Amino acid sequence: MSNASPAPPTEAMSNLNVTGNKGTAKRDALRSNEVTVQKQWEEAKVYEADPDPNVESFIVTFPYPYMNGVLHIGHGFSLTKAVFRAQYERHLGKNVLFPFGFHCTGMPIQAAANKLKMEVEKFGCPPEFPEDDPEVLAQMLREAEAKAAAKAAKASNDKKAKGNKTKLVAKTGTGIVRQWNILKKMVPEEIIHEFVDANKWLDYFPPIGVDHLKTFGAGIDWRRSFITTPANPYYDAFIRWQFNTLRKKGKVLFGKRNNIFSLLDGQVCADHDRSEGEGVGPQEYVLIKLRVKAFPGKLAVLEEKKDKGIYLAPATLRPETMYGQTNCFVLPEGNYGAYEMANGEIFIISKRAALNLACQDYTKEFGKVNCLLELTGYDLLGLPLSAPNATYETVYTLPLLTISMGKGTGVVTSVPSDAPDDYVSLKALQDKPEFREKYGITAEMVEPFEVVPIIEIPGYGNASAVFMCEKLKIKSFNDKVKLAQAKDETYLKGFNLGVMTFGPHKGKKVSDAKPIIKQEMIDAGQACLYFEPESRVMSRTGDECVVAATDQWYLSYGEENWAAAVRKHLLSDNFNAYDEIALQKYDYTVGWLREWACTRQFGLGTHLPWDKEWVIESLSDSTIYMAYYSIAKYLQGDENLNGSKGSPSAINVADLTDEVFDYIFCKGDFPADSKIERNTLESMKREFRYWYPMNLRVSAKDLIPNHLTMALYNHAAIWDDEPEMWPRGYYTNGHVLVDAEKMSKSKGNFLMLNETVEKYSCDATRFACADAGDSLEDANFSRETADSAILSLCNEDTWIKEVVASRNTLRTGDLNFMDQVILNETKRLSRLTGEAFGSMQFREGLQKGWFEMLIARNQYRSWCQISGIPMHEDTIMTWIESIVILLCPVCPHWSEMQWKNLGNDGFAINAPWPSLGEENKLLTRQNLFLQKNIPKFRTLVGKAKKGLDKGYILVKDSYPQWKINTLTWMQAIYEKESGFPKSFMGDLKKWASSLPDKKMMKNIMQFASFVRNEANEIGEEALELSMPYCQQEILEGSLEYLKAQLAVKDLTIVNLDSESDIPELPDRATSNATPGKPYLFMYS
C-alpha cells in the first residue's frame, strides 16, 4: 500500500475507532451508503445492458463459480478484475455488459450429496460422530499421527523418522472432515439433511451467490443469469445444440482412449472432479520385460509358470538406452507382487502399477488384479535376469534406496552410461563391499559390469552420465540436487543432440531412433506400453486415480488444423493475453492438449444428445456459454436461474431446436417451421451479433491449461467460418493470499466474501482487492489495507463535504502557478489511471488515481495554507470531480455518495472519464523541480551547523563548457526509442580519453554516468543544455512555502548566471548548483 498521507481527519472522525466490536461508525457509515446506493442502482436497472447500434459494445465475462458452497474472497479477488474493467469501459462511454452464471455440472455436488447421505445413514440425523466423544477423538488423533509417522518413516527409509501431524489434522484439528460439519458452516442445521439430494444444492446456493454478488456491488445484468445441468432446460438445450454441432463438424469422436480414471466412481475423472491433481494427464512409459532366470526362496512357487514368461517389469521413458543395461534396481523394503496378465505372463511390480495395467486391457477383467504372490524387494535382490537388447547375457537385481513406489512400477532398469542416478548407485555397490554385503549382493553381481557406451553427445562424450557426475563431483546417491541437475541436462542433450553409437540403429539421431526402437521391442514381445498419471490424482470421492483405457466420447483437441487455427488466433493482433508469460502458457497448452474425454456415465450434467447413457462433463459444457448470455434474457430473465418460471418471451423449451440455435448463432437459415415468433428470433440474433465477440474474459491462471484454452478451441470450431467471433482477450491472475499467507480456517484467515464485506464494507474490500496485485504471481489481500481504506474513504468524504459547504470562501479568477500544477497533475494522473485500468493493472491505477491524486491535493492544500492563499474554487472542484470518477471502478458506492454531494444528477457510474485536455509536460517538470528539491534542501538544513537559520538557494541556468560538450556527445548517441547503446560506458571512455585535458576524464565519466541514469528515468529532457523554464521564478513564487517546509527564518534565491550582486560564497557551494539542481547554502 502507498505511503501517501490521507487528508487530516476532522476532530469528530479522529475520535472514532475502526477495529474491535466498538467504534465501527466509519465502517457502518460506508455500509449504510452501500445499501442505499445498491437499492438505487437496482431500481434504476443501471446494469441492464441492451443493444444500441449507435454505441460501441463491451462484454466481459468471468468463469461461473461452482455451486457447492458460498463464495470466498478468492472468488472476489479474481472477480474484481472483471468488475473494475467493466466500470472503466462504462466511463469511456461504451455499452457494457457483465453477465454471470452458476456452474453445477460434474461430480463435486453429487459426491458431496452422496457423502452426506452416507453420514446420515451411518450416524443418524443429526449425526452423532465418534469424534464428538473427546476420548474417542484423542484416540483417533493418536492413530492418525502414528499412521503419518509410519508413512514418513517408510518414505524416508528411516524407521526413526519423527511423525508430524498430517496436513488434514493440521487443517481441521481432528483429521476428520465431515460433510455435515462443512454444511453446518453455511446452512441452518435443521435443513442439512435435505442436501442428500443433489438438486437441493442447485436450488439453495445459486440464489445466495446472487445476493452476495449484489452486496459486493458486482454490476451484473441479472436478467442473463442461469444455472447449468438439465435442472435448467433452456441451458440444457443450448449444450445439446453445441455438441450436435461439434459432432457434425467432426470434433466429437468415439473410441478407446487412456484417461485419468476413478475406479471408485467407475468413470473418467476430469479436472473439476478432482480434489488433487488438476491439470495432470496420463504419462506414457515403456515396460521392459526382464525375464527372471532363477526362482530362489519365495519365488520357487512361480517356477512352474516360467514358460509363460515371468518378468521384472521396469517402466522407462528411454527405451533407446536399453543397449546399456547393466542391472536392475528394486527398493529393498518396497512391497511388490507377482501379477498374472491376461496372456499368462507374470509381471513382478508394485500393486499400484498392476492396478493401472488392469485398467489398460492387460488383465482378464477390467480393474481386477490377480496377485499370485506377495513379495518385498528383499525377496528380489540378487535375481539373475535376461534383459532385452542388453550386451550382458545376465544382469542382476540390486538395491536402490531412493526408489519411489508411487512412481512407475517400483522396478528400475539401470543404464549407467546415460542415467546419472544409475551410475552413482552402481558405483556405490562396486566400491563398497560392506554396503552390498548388507543386502546379500556378491562381487560377481556388480564388479564385472562396466559402463556400456551407447550414445555420443557433443561435449559430453559417449557416457554422459559419467561425464556429468565427474563434472559436478557427485559422490553419493544422496546428492539429490546435483543428480537432478545432471539428469535433466543429460536427458535433454541426449534426446536433442545425441547420436546412437551401438546397435542396429548406430549413426541415427536419438530423437529419430527412439520411436523405432520402442516399436521394435513391442513387436518382439520384449516390451509393452504402460500409462499412469503424471502425478497423484485424487477424486472428490477420495479415490486415488489410475489411467484407464476406456471406450469414450472425446473431443479431438490437438487435431492439426484445429490446433493451428487456435494458435494462429492466439498469436495474432486479434487476441490480447495481457501478459507474455500467460501467452506462452496458452501456446504451450495448445502444443500438448490432445483428445479430451468429454463425457462420463454419471454425475450432474447434460446428457449426450445421441447417446443418453453419457453425461457431458463440466469442462466441456462450459466453453461457449458466453454466447448464451446474449440471449438468456429472452429465455429466462430475472430471478429465474433454473428457468422454472418459463420464458419472458413465451419460448417453449421444445421449440429450441438445433435449427433455431443455428439461426441465432451461426448464420443459419431462418427456421420456417419454428413456433417462436419471427421478431423474437431476429432480436435474439441481433443481440448475439451486437455483443459478440467477447472482448474480455477474466480468470485465475489455473484455468489456462483447461477451460480457457478449450474455450478457444470450441469457439474456433462452432464459428470456424467467422474468426471475428472468437474471444478477443483473456486476463489471468494469480491466487490470492490473505495477509501474506495461504487462506486456511485453522489460521483464521479464510474469508468468505459476504462476511468480508460486512466486516470491512464493500468499497474497502474492493479497495484491498485492487491493492493486492495484478500479475500471475500470488497476490496479497491485506486486512490492514482494508482497515486503512475505511479511514481514508471516510476522511475524504468528510473533507469533500467541508469544501463543498465552504465554496463561497474559495478564491476565483486567474490561476497561479500551484493552481496550474494541480490541474496539470489531475490531467496527468487521469490519463495514467486510465492507461493502467485499460491494461488490467489495477494496483497501478489505484496508485495513480487515488494515492498520487491525494499527494497532489495535499501538496496544493499545504501550499495554499502556508502561503495564506485560499484554494481556487474551479481548480479544487475539478480535482474533486476527477478523483470521484477515477476511484469509481474500485469504490463505486463512495463515488456515488460524492456525486450526490456535488449536486449532480444521475449516477457516477455513468459519468464520463475525466477529459481535461493534454498534460503540459513542461509544467509537470516545473512541479517536479520544486517537489524533488524540497527533500534535498531539507537534508542540507539538517546537516548545517547549529545556529545557521538562513539560506541562499543557488540556481544556475547553464552548464560549464566541458559539461555542454559531454551532453552534446550524449545527445548524438541517444535514441528516443531505445535510449543509450549497451556499449555506452566503453564509448564514453574512448571519447573522454581523446580530449586534450586528461585531468577532466574522471569528472566527465561521473557526470555522464549520472546524466545517463537520469535519462533512463525521465527521457531525453535530461540531456538539455539549458533550462526550458525559470527556476528562480518558481522558487520565489513559493518562498513562504519553502521557508515553512524548511523551518528557516529567511531564504534568498540567487541566480549565479544572471545576477551581478552575488554574495560571497565558497566554491563548493557554487559548484554544487547545476541546471535543475539548485543548492541550498546555510548561513546565520
Side-chain angles (χ1 to χ4, degrees):
M1 192 169 172
S2 170
N3 293 321
S5 302
T10 62
E11 183 178 352
M13 294 294 274
S14 297
N15 292 330
L16 293 173
N17 177 29
V18 178
T19 57
N21 295 323
K22 298 179 180 180
T24 58
K26 293 185 180 182
R27 189 277 315 276
D28 294 344
L30 291 176
R31 283 295 297 127
S32 177
N33 173 65
E34 288 163 2
V35 171
T36 299
V37 168
Q38 288 170 8
K39 184 178 179 182
Q40 293 170 347
W41 284 342
E42 193 154 355
E43 289 173 350
K45 304 181 185 299
V46 293
Y47 294 117
E48 293 186 2
D50 295 308
D52 183 342
N54 298 314
V55 181
E56 182 182 350
S57 67
F58 187 91
I59 177 173
V60 55
T61 66
F62 181 82
Y64 40 28
Y66 200 76
M67 283 291 98
N68 57 346
V70 296
L71 303 174
H72 53 68
I73 198 63
H75 293 109
F77 168 70
S78 293
L79 179 70
T80 57
K81 309 301 183 184
V83 174
F84 296 163
R85 179 64 181 277
Q87 183 53 46
Y88 171 65
E89 296 292 336
R90 202 171 281 116
H91 287 308
L92 295 183
K94 295 179 184 177
N95 190 12
V96 177
L97 174 61
F98 181 31
F100 203 90
F102 299 95
H103 205 192
C104 304
T105 305
M107 280 297 296
I109 288 175
Q110 187 66 66
N114 293 347
K115 186 177 182 183
L116 181 67
K117 183 178 181 181
M118 181 274 294
E119 289 175 1
V120 169
E121 290 175 349
K122 187 172 182 180
F123 301 109
C125 185
E128 294 181 4
F129 297 118
E131 64 269 19
D132 293 342
D133 183 327
E135 292 185 7
V136 174
L137 174 60
Q139 178 60 30
M140 293 173 77
L141 287 174
R142 285 193 294 270
E143 291 174 358
E145 291 182 18
K147 186 177 180 180
K151 185 176 180 180
K154 185 175 181 181
S156 63
N157 294 297
D158 180 6
K159 294 181 180 179
K160 295 181 181 180
K162 294 180 179 178
N164 295 316
K165 284 188 177 182
T166 64
K167 183 177 181 182
L168 202 56
V169 171
K171 286 177 70 174
T172 66
T174 66
I176 302 161
V177 179
R178 302 293 190 187
Q179 190 62 52
W180 183 282
N181 292 335
I182 292 173
L183 284 168
K184 193 159 65 172
K185 296 174 183 176
M186 297 186 285
V187 303
E189 189 165 14
E190 59 269 20
I191 66 168
I192 291 178
H193 66 279
E194 297 177 23
F195 287 81
V196 298
D197 179 358
N199 289 313
K200 177 66 177 179
W201 300 67
L202 277 59
D203 294 336
Y204 188 84
F205 285 114
I208 291 177
V210 171
D211 290 342
H212 288 183
L213 289 169
K214 287 182 177 179
T215 303
F216 195 52
I220 292 164
D221 184 346
W222 290 111
R223 300 172 302 163
R224 303 172 188 272
S225 194
F226 59 87
I227 64 170
T228 66
T229 76
N232 177 4
Y234 294 100
Y235 187 74
D236 196 54
F238 173 76
I239 296 302
R240 291 198 303 272
W241 164 76
Q242 176 191 351
F243 268 75
N244 280 333
T245 304
L246 289 171
R247 191 185 186 202
K248 289 175 188 174
K249 293 176 181 283
K251 306 302 183 186
V252 185
L253 306 174
F254 188 81
K256 187 159 284 191
R257 293 294 183 273
N258 289 297
N259 291 289
I260 306 296
F261 189 89
S262 167
L263 282 166
L264 180 63
D265 298 341
Q267 63 181 2
V268 170
C269 186
D271 274 8
H272 285 181
D273 302 325
R274 304 173 188 177
S275 61
E276 179 184 339
E278 188 169 341
V280 173
Q283 172 68 63
E284 179 188 282
Y285 291 90
V286 178
L287 282 194
I288 307 299
K289 300 179 184 180
L290 308 183
R291 183 182 290 273
V292 178
K293 300 177 72 173
F295 300 89
K298 289 178 67 174
L299 277 79
V301 297
L302 299 176
E303 189 165 9
E304 63 182 22
K305 296 179 178 285
K306 67 179 181 181
D307 291 342
K308 292 286 187 180
I310 301 174
Y311 307 98
L312 265 67
T316 182
L317 296 170
R318 306 191 67 194
E320 76 280 5
T321 65
M322 293 304 100
Y323 302 107
Q325 292 177 91
T326 59
N327 60 280
C328 171
F329 288 122
V330 295
L331 180 67
E333 294 184 353
N335 292 316
Y336 298 86
Y339 295 94
E340 187 173 30
M341 302 294 114
N343 63 1
E345 292 181 336
I346 297 170
F347 289 172
I348 298 176
I349 50 178
S350 66
K351 182 177 180 180
R352 176 186 160 279
L355 204 54
N356 275 278
L357 285 171
C359 298
Q360 295 167 29
D361 292 338
Y362 285 103
T363 56
K364 292 179 179 178
E365 187 177 351
F366 179 85
K368 301 293 184 182
V369 299
N370 181 20
C371 183
L372 303 179
L373 180 65
E374 292 184 352
L375 300 157
T376 69
Y378 284 106
D379 299 320
L380 304 172
L381 294 176
L383 271 186
L385 308 168
S386 175
N389 284 357
T391 58
Y392 294 104
E393 185 177 339
T394 300
V395 299
Y396 294 90
T397 306
L398 306 178
L400 179 59
L401 307 185
T402 57
I403 289 176
S404 168
M405 297 300 289
K407 193 79 173 172
T409 65
V411 181
V412 177
T413 189
S414 173
V415 183
S417 59
D418 290 82
D421 292 86
D422 297 349
Y423 173 70
V424 169
S425 300
L426 177 61
K427 197 146 187 358
L429 289 163
Q430 290 174 334
D431 295 345
K432 299 177 181 179
E434 69 285 354
F435 174 60
R436 67 177 182 244
E437 288 167 5
K438 175 182 175 183
Y439 295 98
I441 302 301
T442 64
E444 291 75 18
M445 297 176 182
V446 293
E447 289 182 352
F449 295 90
E450 300 292 333
V451 170
V452 180
I454 56 172
I455 295 172
E456 178 75 33
I457 305 174
Y460 294 77
N462 59 10
S464 58
V466 179
F467 172 81
M468 285 302 298
C469 287
E470 291 175 351
K471 176 183 175 182
L472 298 179
K473 299 179 180 174
I474 300 172
K475 302 296 183 184
S476 165
F477 49 73
N478 291 318
D479 289 340
K480 294 181 180 178
V481 174
K482 288 183 178 180
L483 279 169
Q485 178 187 344
K487 176 182 176 181
D488 291 344
E489 192 167 330
T490 55
Y491 283 22
L492 180 65
K493 299 292 184 183
F495 182 78
N496 292 323
L497 304 176
V499 175
M500 300 298 299
T501 62
F502 193 96
H505 301 287
K506 180 179 179 179
K508 288 181 182 174
K509 290 182 65 177
V510 168
S511 55
D512 295 330
K514 180 174 182 172
I516 300 172
I517 295 170
K518 177 179 79 171
Q519 194 58 50
E520 286 177 349
M521 294 187 74
I522 292 172
D523 293 344
Q526 299 170 332
C528 61
L529 292 181
Y530 164 74
F531 295 84
E532 69 177 30
E534 293 166 315
S535 59
R536 195 167 92 130
V537 176
M538 298 296 295
S539 73
R540 291 186 181 272
T541 52
D543 184 34
E544 182 171 359
C545 295
V546 296
V547 169
T550 59
D551 286 330
Q552 178 67 56
W553 290 101
Y554 61 91
L555 286 159
S556 58
Y557 297 138
E559 185 269 316
E560 188 175 350
N561 291 334
W562 198 5
V566 171
R567 176 173 277 117
K568 181 180 178 181
H569 179 66
L570 270 173
L571 302 179
S572 74
D573 293 336
N574 294 322
F575 182 82
N576 186 357
Y578 291 91
D579 185 289
E580 185 61 32
I581 295 175
L583 184 60
Q584 291 171 10
K585 290 179 181 291
Y586 291 118
D587 192 34
Y588 175 77
T589 302
V590 172
W592 69 258
L593 187 60
R594 292 293 181 268
E595 297 157 346
W596 182 267
C598 58
T599 56
R600 68 172 63 78
Q601 291 188 299
F602 66 91
L604 303 180
T606 297
H607 289 276
L608 204 60
W610 60 88
D611 191 347
K612 291 186 167 46
E613 290 183 5
W614 297 91
V615 175
I616 298 168
E617 61 93 28
S618 61
L619 276 167
S620 299
D621 81 337
S622 56
T623 54
I624 64 163
Y625 70 89
M626 312 85 183
Y628 183 81
Y629 282 133
S630 68
I631 64 169
K633 71 175 190 180
Y634 297 93
L635 302 180
Q636 297 182 229
D638 203 10
E639 297 184 356
N640 191 20
L641 292 173
N642 61 6
S644 60
K645 296 179 181 179
S647 162
S649 301
I651 296 173
N652 191 309
V653 171
D655 296 330
L656 290 173
T657 63
D658 285 357
E659 291 73 24
V660 164
F661 284 123
D662 283 341
Y663 173 73
I664 294 170
F665 294 117
C666 293
K667 293 185 175 180
D669 294 334
F670 184 84
D673 58 348
S674 177
K675 296 179 182 178
I676 304 173
E677 290 188 10
R678 187 182 191 100
N679 287 343
T680 301
L681 283 177
E682 289 176 348
S683 294
M684 293 167 77
K685 181 172 186 172
R686 281 195 302 270
E687 182 115 12
F688 167 69
R689 293 279 157 182
Y690 177 79
W691 292 117
Y692 247 55
M694 177 174 57
N695 300 90
L696 174 65
R697 187 158 182 79
V698 170
S699 169
K701 64 182 179 182
D702 48 0
L703 294 189
I704 291 176
N706 43 60
H707 162 72
L708 292 172
T709 305
M710 292 174 182
L712 288 173
Y713 266 102
N714 279 264
H715 278 81
I718 300 293
W719 292 279
D720 53 357
D721 60 342
E722 293 187 271
E724 62 272 18
M725 305 303 283
W726 304 356
R728 287 294 180 261
Y730 282 170
Y731 170 83
T732 49
N733 54 261
H735 301 134
V736 68
L737 308 175
V738 173
D739 297 334
E741 292 188 304
K742 186 176 179 181
M743 280 201 295
S744 166
K745 292 182 177 68
S746 65
K747 293 177 181 175
N749 72 340
F750 195 94
L751 305 181
M752 306 312 294
L753 182 60
N754 204 50
E755 292 171 357
T756 308
V757 167
E758 293 302 328
K759 184 171 183 179
Y760 297 105
S761 81
C762 174
D763 279 345
T765 299
R766 291 166 58 128
F767 189 104
C769 285
D771 191 62
D774 301 297
S775 72
L776 288 173
E777 300 300 318
D778 288 346
N780 181 43
F781 180 90
S782 166
R783 287 180 282 190
E784 183 180 353
T785 298
D787 265 337
S788 298
I790 295 172
L791 287 167
S792 190
L793 292 170
C794 287
N795 289 347
E796 291 308 317
D797 169 59
T798 301
W799 183 81
I800 290 172
K801 287 175 180 174
E802 290 174 350
V803 171
V804 172
S806 60
R807 287 181 70 164
N808 60 349
T809 68
L810 301 178
R811 177 167 46 91
T812 58
D814 294 340
L815 304 181
N816 62 32
F817 173 71
M818 290 306 294
D819 296 333
Q820 295 176 51
V821 164
I822 191 172
L823 279 176
N824 195 56
E825 277 296 277
T826 303
K827 293 177 185 178
R828 183 180 72 88
L829 293 171
S830 295
R831 174 179 59 82
L832 292 176
T833 303
E835 289 174 358
F837 285 171
S839 59
M840 306 298 286
Q841 297 300 303
F842 300 108
R843 187 177 192 177
E844 179 68 11
L846 187 66
Q847 180 69 26
K848 300 299 180 187
W850 181 254
F851 293 117
E852 291 190 23
M853 281 286 283
L854 292 184
I855 290 172
R857 189 278 316 274
N858 291 348
Q859 289 169 347
Y860 175 67
R861 182 175 59 185
S862 175
W863 187 93
C864 289
Q865 289 172 346
I866 292 170
S867 302
I869 302 173
M871 293 185 295
H872 192 282
E873 180 182 7
D874 290 344
T875 297
I876 201 61
M877 292 309 298
T878 297
W879 180 90
I880 291 173
E881 290 164 0
S882 297
I883 198 171
V884 166
I885 303 307
L886 297 185
L887 192 63
C888 193
V890 178
C891 301
H893 311 86
W894 181 88
S895 291
E896 294 290 5
M897 178 164 52
Q898 307 318 316
W899 189 254
K900 297 297 187 292
N901 288 340
L902 294 171
N904 293 317
D905 295 327
F907 293 97
I909 60 167
N910 292 326
W913 195 252
S915 179
L916 307 173
E918 289 296 316
E919 169 199 358
N920 183 331
K921 292 188 179 296
L922 180 60
L923 190 54
T924 299
R925 290 184 63 191
Q926 290 173 305
N927 180 46
L928 284 173
F929 163 77
L930 179 62
Q931 302 304 333
K932 282 191 172 183
N933 279 301
I934 289 174
K936 296 177 183 177
F937 294 158
R938 197 175 286 125
T939 299
L940 291 170
V941 171
K943 290 181 178 179
K945 292 180 181 179
K946 191 175 182 181
L948 302 182
D949 56 1
K950 301 175 185 177
Y952 292 119
I953 296 181
L954 312 177
V955 298
K956 280 183 71 71
D957 294 326
S958 61
Y959 290 102
Q961 190 59 45
W962 70 268
K963 288 187 176 179
I964 292 175
N965 294 340
T966 304
L967 288 168
T968 302
W969 177 83
M970 294 177 71
Q971 288 174 352
I973 65 170
Y974 184 84
E975 294 288 342
K976 195 166 187 178
E977 298 298 324
S978 57
F980 291 107
K982 292 181 180 179
S983 59
F984 174 78
M985 290 307 293
D987 295 343
L988 173 65
K989 189 173 182 180
K990 186 184 296 183
W991 174 78
S993 63
S994 69
L995 298 175
D997 190 354
K998 307 298 186 204
K999 294 179 182 178
M1000 291 300 297
M1001 184 169 175
K1002 181 178 179 181
N1003 291 339
I1004 290 171
M1005 297 291 289
Q1006 289 177 343
F1007 173 69
S1009 179
F1010 175 82
V1011 173
R1012 179 194 61 174
N1013 293 338
E1014 190 173 28
N1016 289 339
E1017 183 179 342
I1018 68 169
E1020 61 185 341
E1021 291 107 346
L1023 305 177
E1024 290 173 346
L1025 302 181
S1026 60
M1027 296 303 297
Y1029 53 84
C1030 181
Q1031 305 168 83
Q1032 186 170 0
E1033 185 179 313
I1034 293 171
L1035 293 170
E1036 286 179 345
S1038 298
L1039 207 55
E1040 293 303 315
Y1041 178 67
L1042 288 168
K1043 285 161 65 175
Q1045 287 288 316
L1046 303 177
V1048 297
K1049 284 184 179 180
D1050 191 33
L1051 276 178
T1052 304
I1053 314 301
V1054 178
N1055 191 316
L1056 298 176
D1057 287 339
S1058 61
E1059 294 185 18
S1060 56
D1061 188 17
I1062 297 175
E1064 190 174 330
L1065 298 166
D1067 288 343
R1068 65 173 178 80
T1070 57
S1071 63
N1072 276 326
T1074 59
K1077 299 177 182 64
Y1079 183 77
L1080 175 63
F1081 176 75
M1082 296 298 297
Y1083 69 98
S1084 60

